[in-house]
């Protein structure tokens, strides 16, 4: 018999399923993948749900139960199975994966504001790439300086906003089917069984990462597994309920998009504006004008603003608190008088600005949005590989890692499922590097391929440089890796290089690309020059 603590507050399995559901899927996720695969995405959703999402969620349940005393976080799972350094590096890669996500959130907020004020997609026709990046950066700076004042209220508001967006998504599905029942027509024609079967080719493989990006995040609910009365019985029920709700929303939501958009001839900006187009079309069908569009736009802006503030705070604090002290520089852990990790915020802003600057050479604002979204489809699944890696490690030595909840009693079968999910995720990550939404082998395709590699190398590679900075701190008599003058020079060079790149990228100079490359190379050399010499070395 399982012993229950009489005064402990337990969480029910339906509540856990709802908590996870709100964070797993949203209306934007439907539009993103609908453009990538058309109505064939319906079959992809079904395959992913049963062969990936359900086992993935149940593995997370066992990992959270195994490492319940350490909070159940991904970093603690890797640290507990593979040591301190991999624990640190997992924390870094998890944080690095958040950079494209938070930039995408800021971009989406700018787009949402455009719809809220204009009631249409005209923003992309009047805003240059440079200005799009500039206003996104302004959004960052504003929220960095204001989020600490409203942190707790925004956490609540982001949850309310998430539930509102989900509610509108469900409303969209029901109103679409009601419209069909009243004599509405399906825009996707001809509509046959072949319409919902995807083409399994190279392009399909490049879109798998975005599917996984849309459905991952189950590790966020891992700490709650140990707060259930009977995890062995109740957690599987919660995951089955989650799968059922996700199946309903993804299958019928994708079909509903096919009602309003011809899946054979989709708008090129569907990923950026698809959700707004959909609610505008739904409102027109019911003779409501733009009412539903404005309701959705306001809810989206409200949600994204709150989410961005919470993300900027949470991801920075996670980086400096849930990593190994042996590898994370003290300069990033430094807080101001009110406990804010200012240097961590600066690093977040700097890397976000760098990611934004990479996209300024793309043909349009829509291309920037699509590229950044697809970058999430590379980095996010790559980090999810750590989950399956940790699960494989605990099932290779299950006696060493006991758990109240066990996914598949037989170790060999469990390992087979674990390796399956790891391989699928790794393949999706690798093929996701191939650009989408552009003509294969075109100049834009090659440019996106290059900046995909640059983004990955910088975001992941910096995690290998930070331990070097930590060792410099340890060798210094005053605990600083660089002098004040060196830090000033390094930060000034980085700032001026990014601003210069943004300016050149938004200009029409004939040789702006050459100028960007030259400026970036000079900036890197100056950073190395400023930081090369070590001062105040300890004498042994």
């Amino acid at each position: 018999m399982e012993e229950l603590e009489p005064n402990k507050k337990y969480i029910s399995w339906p509540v856990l399923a709802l908590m996870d559901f709100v964070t797993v899927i949203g209306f934007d996720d439907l539009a993103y993948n609908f453009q990538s695969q058309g109505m064939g995405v319906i079959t992809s959703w079904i395959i992913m749900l049963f062969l990936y999402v359900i086992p993935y969620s149940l593995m997370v349940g066992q990992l959270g139960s195994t490492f319940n005393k350490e909070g159940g976080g991904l970093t603690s799972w890797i640290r507990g199975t593979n040591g301190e350094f991999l624990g640190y590096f997992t924390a870094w890669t998890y944080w690095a994966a958040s950079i494209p996500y938070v930039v995408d959130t800021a971009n989406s907020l700018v787009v949402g504001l455009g719809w809220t004020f204009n009631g249409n997609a005209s923003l992309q026709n009047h805003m240059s790439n440079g200005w799009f990046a500039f206003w996104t950066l302004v959004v960052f700076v504003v929220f960095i300086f204001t989020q600490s004042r409203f942190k707790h209220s925004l956490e609540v508001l982001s949850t309310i906003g998430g539930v509102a967006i989900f509610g509108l998504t469900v409303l969209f599905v029901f109103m679409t089917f009601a419209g069909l029942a009243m004599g509405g027509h399906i825009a996707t024609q001809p509509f046959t069984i072949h319409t919902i079967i995807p083409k399994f080719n190279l392009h399909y493989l490049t879109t798998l990462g975005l599917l996984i990006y849309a459905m991952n995040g189950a590790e966020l609910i891992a700490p709650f597994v140990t707060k259930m009365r009977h995890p062995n019985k109740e957690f599987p029920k919660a995951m089955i309920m989650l799968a059922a709700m996700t199946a309903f929303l993804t299958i019928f939501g994708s079909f509903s998009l096919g009602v309003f958009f011809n899946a054979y001839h989709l708008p090129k900006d569907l990923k950026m504006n698809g959700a707004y187009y959909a609610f505008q079309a739904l409102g027109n069908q019911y003779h409501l004008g733009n009412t539903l569009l404005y309701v959705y736009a306001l809810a989206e802006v409200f949600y994204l603003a709150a989410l961005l503030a919470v993300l900027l705070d949470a991801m920075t604090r996670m980086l400096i608190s849930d990593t190994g002290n042996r590898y994370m520089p003290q300069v990033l852990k430094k807080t101001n008088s009110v406990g804010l990790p200012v240097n961590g915020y600066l690093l977040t802003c700097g890397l976000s600005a760098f990611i934004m600057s990479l996209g300024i050479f793309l043909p349009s604002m829509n291309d920037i949005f699509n590229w950044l979204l697809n970058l999430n489809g590379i980095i996010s699944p790559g980090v999810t590989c750590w989950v399956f890696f940790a699960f494989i490690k605990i099932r290779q030595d299950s006696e060493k890692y006991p758990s109240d909840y066990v996914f598949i009693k037989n170790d060999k079968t469990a390992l087979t499922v674990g390796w399956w999910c790891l391989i699928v995720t790794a393949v999706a990550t690798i093929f996701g590097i191939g650009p989408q939404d552009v003509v294969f082998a075109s100049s834009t395709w090659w440019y996106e391929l290059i900046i995909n590699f640059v983004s990955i190398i910088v975001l992941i590679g910096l995690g290998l440089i930070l331990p070097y900075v930590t060792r410099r701190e340890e060798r210094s008599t005053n605990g600083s890796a660089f002098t004040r003058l060196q830090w000033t020079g390094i930060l000034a060079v980085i700032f001026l290089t990014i601003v210069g790149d943004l300016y050149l990228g938004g200009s029409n100079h004939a040789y702006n690309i050459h100028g960007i490359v030259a400026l970036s190379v000079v900036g890197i050399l100056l950073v190395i020059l400023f930081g090369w010499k070590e001062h105040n070395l300890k004498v042994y």
Side-chain angles (χ1 to χ4, degrees), residues 78-79 82-91 324 326-327 463-464 467:
I78 299 297
R79 184 185 296 122
N82 295 273
E84 188 71 17
F85 178 75
L86 272 187
Y88 152 76
F89 195 63
T90 301
R326 293 169 53 192
Y327 306 105
L464 299 175

Side-chain angles (χ1 to χ4, degrees), residues 3-26:
E3 294 184 6
L4 300 178
E5 299 177 33
N7 298 322
K8 182 177 179 179
K9 293 184 177 180
Y10 292 96
I11 187 169
S12 66
W13 62 267
V15 171
L16 185 68
L18 289 169
M19 288 171 58
D20 202 15
F21 184 49
V22 172
T23 62
V24 165
I25 202 78

Side-chain angles (χ1 to χ4, degrees), residues 90-309:
T90 301
W92 172 264
T93 53
Y94 198 84
W95 179 83
S98 302
I99 293 291
Y101 178 50
V102 78
V103 176
D104 181 49
T105 302
N107 278 349
S108 298
L109 181 56
V110 174
V111 172
L113 289 170
W115 276 93
T116 301
F117 288 107
N118 300 326
N120 54 49
S122 61
L123 184 70
Q124 62 186 322
N125 299 322
H126 300 98
M127 185 175 287
S128 68
N129 293 356
W131 279 110
F132 185 42
F134 171 77
W135 286 114
T136 302
L137 188 59
V138 168
V139 168
F140 268 108
V141 174
V142 169
F143 278 89
I144 285 274
F145 278 101
T146 60
Q147 57 80 26
S148 61
R149 299 173 181 266
F150 312 103
K151 179 193 171 188
H152 297 295
S153 59
L154 287 175
E155 287 177 349
V156 176
L157 294 179
S158 64
T159 303
I160 296 174
V163 173
I165 294 296
F166 164 68
L168 285 171
T169 305
V170 174
L171 180 66
F172 177 82
V173 172
F174 280 111
M175 290 183 71
T176 299
F177 277 87
L180 289 175
M182 292 186 294
H185 301 285
I186 301 176
T188 301
Q189 294 295 336
F191 184 80
T192 66
I193 187 64
H194 299 289
T195 307
I196 63 172
I197 298 177
K199 296 179 180 179
F200 296 101
N201 51 22
L202 179 61
H203 173 74
Y204 182 82
L205 290 174
T206 65
T207 63
L208 279 179
L210 203 56
L211 275 172
I212 293 175
Y213 166 64
M215 305 184 83
N216 67 4
E219 64 271 12
L220 298 176
I221 54 101
F224 297 98
V225 176
T226 56
K227 296 183 179 180
M228 305 182 80
R229 289 181 181 274
H230 308 288
N232 275 323
K233 298 178 181 178
E234 295 182 342
F235 187 74
K237 291 181 181 179
M239 294 304 99
I240 291 171
M241 178 178 172
L242 169 67
M245 292 188 296
T246 305
F248 168 81
L249 199 62
T250 53
I251 294 170
F252 292 106
S254 298
F255 174 82
S256 298
L257 288 174
V259 171
F260 293 104
F261 302 102
N262 185 348
Y264 301 110
H265 302 285
L266 293 172
K268 292 183 177 180
D269 61 343
L270 191 69
K271 287 184 178 178
M272 183 167 69
N273 297 310
Y276 302 99
Y277 287 149
F279 276 93
Q280 189 174 49
L282 183 66
N284 290 334
Q285 183 183 38
Y286 281 89
H287 307 291
L288 296 174
N290 281 342
T291 302
L292 290 179
L293 164 67
Y294 282 116
V295 169
Y296 178 80
L298 286 171
E300 181 79 345
V301 168
F302 176 78
Y303 168 65
L304 289 173
L307 176 63
L308 181 61

Side-chain angles (χ1 to χ4, degrees), residues 178-478:
L180 289 175
M182 292 186 294
H185 301 285
I186 301 176
T188 301
Q189 294 295 336
F191 184 80
T192 66
I193 187 64
H194 299 289
T195 307
I196 63 172
I197 298 177
K199 296 179 180 179
F200 296 101
N201 51 22
L202 179 61
H203 173 74
Y204 182 82
L205 290 174
T206 65
T207 63
L208 279 179
L210 203 56
L211 275 172
I212 293 175
Y213 166 64
M215 305 184 83
N216 67 4
E219 64 271 12
L220 298 176
I221 54 101
F224 297 98
V225 176
T226 56
K227 296 183 179 180
M228 305 182 80
R229 289 181 181 274
H230 308 288
N232 275 323
K233 298 178 181 178
E234 295 182 342
F235 187 74
K237 291 181 181 179
M239 294 304 99
I240 291 171
M241 178 178 172
L242 169 67
M245 292 188 296
T246 305
F248 168 81
L249 199 62
T250 53
I251 294 170
F252 292 106
S254 298
F255 174 82
S256 298
L257 288 174
V259 171
F260 293 104
F261 302 102
N262 185 348
Y264 301 110
H265 302 285
L266 293 172
K268 292 183 177 180
D269 61 343
L270 191 69
K271 287 184 178 178
M272 183 167 69
N273 297 310
Y276 302 99
Y277 287 149
F279 276 93
Q280 189 174 49
L282 183 66
N284 290 334
Q285 183 183 38
Y286 281 89
H287 307 291
L288 296 174
N290 281 342
T291 302
L292 290 179
L293 164 67
Y294 282 116
V295 169
Y296 178 80
L298 286 171
E300 181 79 345
V301 168
F302 176 78
Y303 168 65
L304 289 173
L307 176 63
L308 181 61
V310 173
L311 280 175
L312 285 171
D313 182 70
M315 62 186 286
T316 303
R317 291 180 184 271
M318 179 195 74
L319 174 68
I320 66 174
S321 63
D322 196 17
T323 51
N325 290 327
R326 293 169 53 192
Y327 306 105
M328 181 58 60
Q330 292 299 317
V331 65
L332 288 179
K333 295 185 176 184
K334 184 179 179 181
T335 57
N336 61 10
S337 58
V338 294
L340 297 178
V342 287
N343 292 333
Y345 287 151
L346 288 174
L347 179 63
T348 302
C349 278
L351 284 176
S352 299
F354 167 75
I355 292 297
M356 286 186 288
S357 69
L358 290 177
I360 55 179
F361 298 119
L362 292 170
S364 68
M365 173 178 161
N366 182 56
D367 289 301
I368 295 176
F369 188 94
N370 288 348
W371 166 72
L372 187 61
L373 177 64
N374 295 333
L375 181 62
N376 279 292
I378 304 169
I379 296 180
S380 181
V383 174
T384 304
C385 287
W386 288 117
V387 175
F388 307 120
F389 179 67
F391 179 77
I392 290 170
K393 296 295 290 186
I394 66 170
R395 296 311 295 261
Q396 286 176 337
D397 192 356
S398 55
E399 292 184 1
K400 182 180 177 181
Y401 301 102
S403 171
D404 289 335
Y405 168 72
V406 177
F407 169 56
I408 303 178
K409 301 294 183 181
N410 185 277
D411 286 334
K412 290 183 178 180
T413 305
L415 284 170
T416 300
V417 178
W419 277 109
W420 157 257
C421 288
L422 177 59
I423 292 171
V424 168
T425 310
V427 167
T429 301
I430 294 169
F431 279 96
I433 298 175
Q436 305 173 37
D437 309 310
V438 293
V439 178
F440 177 75
S442 64
S443 58
T444 303
W445 187 92
W446 282 110
Y447 179 71
E448 287 193 8
L449 183 66
I450 292 170
I451 60 179
N452 281 344
F453 277 109
V454 170
S455 301
I456 295 168
I457 291 171
V458 171
L459 289 176
I460 305 303
L462 187 57
L464 299 175
I465 295 175
L466 291 181
Y468 165 72
V469 177
T470 303
R471 289 195 297 271
R472 283 185 60 136
E473 288 180 340
E474 294 171 350
R475 292 195 293 263
S476 173
T477 55
N478 60 5

